[in-house]
Amino acid sequence: MPENTVTAPLAPMDPDDVAAAFAYIRALQAGDIDPACVVAHGTSPELRRLLLGVAARVFIPVTAVDDCDGEPCAHSFLAATLGRLLLEILCHGVCLANAPGVAETIVRFTENILTEDHDDVTDVLRQLEAAGMKQAIEAHPARPTTA
């Protein structure tokens, strides 16, 4: 059986990056193109990288099943591989590799995998943003200013 490649947690993102990425995702999910364009313009050319960072933090924890009753099993490897494959497609797939494609994939994943009722997508995206922001703030505490 192959060795489980699920490793240490991903490094936290910067709080501003979390806020920008989720502002873009939520704007696209709501169909608000103008706010999405404002975020895209304000973060260009980094938006795609920020969205891929969010995608990794959404997909990997959901698909990373370390074991089955304390022992690695085929399902844990399959789930982890699925998460990595989805990220690989977003990173290198021609049709999904742009910022809207990554954001829409995050929304669809949230809708189809992370929610039982498709009406909860906005709430789940807010929860994911709050978790990412908490991790980012803990990793990047405000630095005291020098007077």
Side-chain angles (χ1 to χ4, degrees), residues 13 17 21 43 45-55 57 99:
M13 294 174 68
D17 293 346
T43 58
E46 295 295 314
L47 181 59
R48 181 175 175 275
R49 180 187 59 80
L50 301 180
L51 292 170
L52 288 172
V54 167
R57 284 157 184 81

Side-chain angles (χ1 to χ4, degrees), residues 41-145:
H41 180 67
T43 58
S44 192
E46 295 295 314
L47 181 59
R48 181 175 175 275
R49 180 187 59 80
L50 301 180
L51 292 170
L52 288 172
V54 167
R57 284 157 184 81
V58 171
F59 302 157
I60 297 299
V62 172
T63 60
V65 179
D66 286 329
D67 57 44
C68 181
D69 295 326
E71 294 294 323
C73 65
H75 294 113
S76 58
F77 298 114
L78 178 61
T81 300
L82 176 62
R84 288 190 308 275
L85 178 62
L86 186 53
L87 284 173
E88 185 71 20
I89 289 169
L90 291 179
C91 290
H92 303 293
V94 175
C95 59
L96 296 177
N98 58 28
V102 176
E104 288 295 330
T105 302
I106 292 168
V107 170
R108 282 192 213 108
F109 185 86
T110 301
E111 181 178 73
N112 292 306
I113 305 296
L114 301 181
T115 62
E116 291 181 20
D117 180 3
H118 296 299
D119 295 336
D120 295 339
V121 173
T122 301
D123 292 335
V124 172
L125 288 172
R126 285 190 180 119
Q127 292 170 16
L128 291 168
E129 179 180 15
M133 188 61 76
K134 180 180 181 229
Q135 184 186 41
I137 289 171
E138 288 172 355
H140 304 280
R143 295 176 188 94
T145 57

